[in-house]
Amino acid sequence: MSHPLIDTLRQTVGAAHVLTEGDLTAWEQDWRRRARGKALAVVRPASTQEVAAVVRACAAAGAAIVPQGGNTGLSVGSIPDASGTQVLLSLARMNAVRAVDADNLTLTVEAGAILQNVQDTAEKAGLLFPLSLAAEGSCTIGGNLATNAGGTQVLRYGNARELCLGLEVVTPQGEIWDGLKGLRKDNTGYDLRDLFIGSEGTLGIITAATMKLFPQPAASLTAWAAVPSMEHAVQLLALAHKHLGAGLTGFEVMGRFALSLVARHMPQLRVPFIDQADVPYAVLLENSDSESEDHARARFEALLETAFDAGCVSDAVVAENLAQAHQLWHIRESIPLAQAEEGLNIKHDISVPISRIPAFVDYADALLQREIAGVRLVNFGHLGDGNLHYNVQAPAEGDPKAFLRDEEARVNDLVYEAVAKFGGSFSAEHGVGALKVDKLQQYQSPVALMMMRAIKGALDPQGLMNPQCLLPVAAPQLQPQPQG
Amino acid sequence: MSHPLIDTLRQTVGAAHVLTEGDLTAWEQDWRRRARGKALAVVRPASTQEVAAVVRACAAAGAAIVPQGGNTGLSVGSIPDASGTQVLLSLARMNAVRAVDADNLTLTVEAGAILQNVQDTAEKAGLLFPLSLAAEGSCTIGGNLATNAGGTQVLRYGNARELCLGLEVVTPQGEIWDGLKGLRKDNTGYDLRDLFIGSEGTLGIITAATMKLFPQPAASLTAWAAVPSMEHAVQLLALAHKHLGAGLTGFEVMGRFALSLVARHMPQLRVPFIDQADVPYAVLLENSDSESEDHARARFEALLETAFDAGCVSDAVVAENLAQAHQLWHIRESIPLAQAEEGLNIKHDISVPISRIPAFVDYADALLQREIAGVRLVNFGHLGDGNLHYNVQAPAEGDPKAFLRDEEARVNDLVYEAVAKFGGSFSAEHGVGALKVDKLQQYQSPVALMMMRAIKGALDPQGLMNPQCLLPVAAPQLQPQPQG
């Protein structure tokens, strides 16, 4: 395929790194296979300078750019639209760790570095990079930042945003902003860093970042507690904060039905207390200790004893060793797969204030059961952050495809209306992408949307950066012009 | 005084809360008495709706607005210019705590609430609000957020930015953005919250905020360590991170000359190890423990023993009780006053990556001593954050006023050039205000400045919000028009 822009891109990054032919599914289809686009070309620059040159070439040609990291997003935010006019800019070749600064507790890494490799690099330096999520073997740090990724350690260490001290960004005009200072305090103007973090590639392209590191804990222990209700889970969380302080690094809640799916489809995983009919929820707790495993165990036992006495835990087990701890986490992380084995389902990623979670769950459970016949609720998530994956499994009877076709929109409306009623967010950690642009218009404050549009217009006046995502702008004018 | 805008403001907030006569020094002069302006009026609205109405009236009249909290800023960011045309909008009457949500670990408070009152409110709920700084008895949470205040607990809890979950803001158009959700995860669009935090009143007016709370530690202990060099202080910091984990809540470094000023001017404060001639630096450490005082002490002793063995501590004392701990902190906090007692001096608030602090100090000390005869360096600060108050005392001999007049600009240039050379920031926690607008232009990246100007123009197209600060815009057209 020939096209003036494609020729320029080939000159910029080398013909081998401009893909226009063959199977481009890996770049053009989203992770959950909900959508597929068609790129004008897939471009794989190797340096920040090459990214800037690509952006300038696209800006000159009026071509839209879709930046892509590991393409593991859950909101269809990193694939081109179907027009065949957009340039897919993959950061995958920019994966160097530029520097590890142990005394400053920072690491500077390029956007295309795989999250797990960043974790490993920190570990080799005797330090901890705490961002951790299911896709860590494939997702990239640039994508984590563009979407402000969350995961299981947010309770203690924060989202990707809170782990980032500085960014390098290519602007929509193809200029390079070097904001990579590894400073913990720097009050010299507007917070551009946090504006780019979570902007989903719509304001510019993150090419590198300086991230915080932490001392490795001396020991991490995992416990599993049966709790009599969601209210008791929230009480247990308060006790755990009080007893463990910053040692509390994980607090996951799992509903009985979610765990029963794991027990049914992965019988080799032994789910604790699943045979006790009076256990509506289980909580997985992680305690990371700077002293020793013995100390971590003693603190855990003191917490659980207090929790028993307070009636907010009915049974509990503390993993005896690392293998048992991994097993417990594996049960938690197997819920999505168990859901898939069970059949089609509707996923949510919502948050409400932690204090309102019990009332929200009561309300939403009753509402859905009343409105949608046979609905089965798969409720689990990061309770310590107020973040639930409040999913809806198709009824056991009937055609699940028909259920999704007929009911998905209504289920979403019911769930999101309930979330709004309890002061929550329709997208806690997965972002908006192209998937939820209508929800953003529906649930975000009009004043906030007005300011967001003003910012988008100010920084990307051509509207070329990931234009179908977050705040969609009209399709650019460029048409494919095959030549020769 | 009568003026159409003043009449409107009187109707809006009540005549008693529009001040135009008498002694307005408290609002018109900055904290360090470096500058004094003249306001068209001082307006004291009592509610968010009144703030919005004031802003709309000013926007209609083309009058600039300077928001003010406790007026304790150190960069002349909250007083009007000398034109007599700007409206000083004080948030002082908006000081309610709207809600404390213990299970969500949040508190929602109006902008004019005094920081110490916010701390006290949290304490009464059995929780901790960790933001702490010298002006806490007078400064307001709105000012803390507008300037992204730092202080002594940043090492563990972060700046004001990291403590904030949501804002309520009145836009330059007089609209109210309710972004007060107390959510730890919410990825639904651009991060407006962090854009307003640190924007120093130039993008809108923060009227309320939802802030994070933390469990109170069971015990906090303070230690004072003599260290043989700044390099050893950095090594001690790494050991303290490793041994204490998140228990390390304070790590302050103080140079020998800084401490000798305290010993000279406050002889009743007994500065540890001041008689040991071979102690160039002391470090104050704070260990906050979720378990008990005994445990905190045992962990502190294990750390200090390791540090002795590693040669990075030559002597140390752990406070035996709260009174002793307060005494040690009091010594640290008395350095600015001791400096004032000693005479005139030039203050800085700089940061560099922690790993580069020893080399920076060596370089800057030598440079200043070579270039400026008789210069005396008062070096102290939050080493755990890479933030030094690298101050310069006038020479012991000669006229200090003449020294400041003749040398202040050159001293600043030398310090800031050194900071830039080591990848640092000329304003770590005090912001830019009107005082450092030229430094912002000189040291901030041109690409970053371009984006900041674009954002300012997009959100405040009339250029009426605190126009002489951060990114100055041309003076507005309004002239005082005394009538009747």
Side-chain angles (χ1 to χ4, degrees), chain B residues 127-476:
Chain B
L127 295 166
L128 172 74
F129 181 64
L131 189 66
S132 177
L133 47 124
E136 61 197 22
S138 310
C139 67
T140 64
I141 202 75
N144 297 148
L145 288 163
T147 59
N148 187 26
T152 58
Q153 304 280 296
V154 173
L155 173 64
R156 161 67 182 99
Y157 298 102
N159 294 298
R161 169 169 290 128
E162 288 167 270
L163 295 173
C164 181
L165 289 176
L167 292 180
E168 179 188 82
V169 169
V170 172
T171 71
Q173 293 74 42
E175 297 196 78
I176 298 167
W177 170 45
D178 178 358
L180 284 177
K181 288 179 180 175
L183 302 175
R184 281 173 165 71
K185 287 180 171 171
D186 181 18
N187 282 345
T188 54
Y190 300 149
D191 183 11
L192 300 174
R193 176 190 68 203
D194 289 313
L195 189 59
F196 283 105
I197 295 174
S199 69
E200 305 189 15
T202 64
L203 297 178
I205 299 170
I206 296 169
T207 49
T210 299
M211 308 297 293
K212 292 183 195 168
L213 300 176
F214 293 83
Q216 281 182 341
S220 275
L221 284 186
T222 303
W224 189 282
V227 298
S229 72
M230 191 63 98
E231 280 188 7
H232 288 96
V234 171
Q235 285 173 30
L236 176 60
L237 176 63
L239 282 178
H241 275 304
K242 185 75 191 164
H243 274 70
L244 306 178
L248 182 66
T249 48
F251 196 96
E252 301 283 309
V253 73
M254 296 151 288
R256 178 173 184 75
F257 180 65
L259 291 173
S260 75
L261 293 182
V262 175
R264 182 182 307 161
H265 296 287
M266 291 100 164
Q268 73 284 11
L269 297 179
R270 291 182 311 163
V271 179
F273 317 128
I274 193 71
D275 298 328
Q276 297 179 20
D278 58 344
V279 176
Y281 290 100
V283 170
L284 184 157
L285 301 94
E286 188 182 78
N287 178 21
S288 298
D289 196 288
S290 58
E291 185 172 343
S292 66
E293 184 174 329
D294 284 351
H295 184 254
R297 199 170 292 278
R299 294 305 294 154
F300 239 164
E301 281 163 7
L303 162 65
L304 291 171
E305 205 174 292
T306 308
F308 277 118
D309 293 347
C312 57
V313 163
S314 61
D315 211 338
V317 57
V318 180
E320 286 296 323
N321 51 47
L322 213 57
Q324 281 186 16
H326 283 162
Q327 264 188 338
L328 295 176
W329 273 105
H330 191 46
I331 295 169
R332 156 66 183 86
E333 284 163 359
S334 297
I335 295 174
L337 188 56
Q339 271 199 277
E341 297 279 326
E342 180 73 6
L344 293 174
N345 58 79
I346 303 166
K347 293 194 194 301
H348 301 112
D349 165 44
I350 56 107
S351 62
V352 295
I354 295 163
S355 52
R356 305 191 75 184
I357 283 210
F360 163 78
V361 171
D362 282 352
Y363 176 87
D365 282 5
L367 180 71
L368 285 162
Q369 272 151 0
R370 194 173 64 230
E371 296 288 327
I372 317 263
V375 82
R376 299 182 296 167
L377 302 168
V378 183
N379 191 0
F380 66 100
H382 318 293
L383 183 59
D385 316 315
N387 177 197
L388 295 180
H389 297 302
Y390 186 84
N391 296 347
V392 174
Q393 196 84 25
E397 314 291 319
D399 176 5
K401 278 193 180 169
F403 174 80
L404 251 72
R405 186 191 60 221
D406 298 341
E407 302 288 3
E408 181 164 10
R410 194 153 149 256
V411 165
N412 287 342
D413 284 346
L414 291 170
V415 170
Y416 295 145
E417 285 298 335
V419 166
K421 186 180 163 76
F422 286 83
S425 166
F426 69 87
S427 184
E429 56 178 10
H430 295 170
V432 174
L435 189 67
K436 297 181 182 172
V437 290
D438 58 329
K439 304 300 173 207
L440 187 70
Q441 294 300 317
Q442 195 175 346
Y443 293 109
Q444 184 54 281
S445 124
V447 179
L449 285 171
M450 188 196 65
M451 291 192 280
M452 290 178 194
R453 274 187 225 104
I455 291 165
K456 170 75 174 173
L459 296 186
D460 179 22
Q462 282 187 276
L464 295 179
M465 301 306 305
N466 215 4
Q468 62 271 24
C469 288
L470 211 61
L471 297 167
V473 291

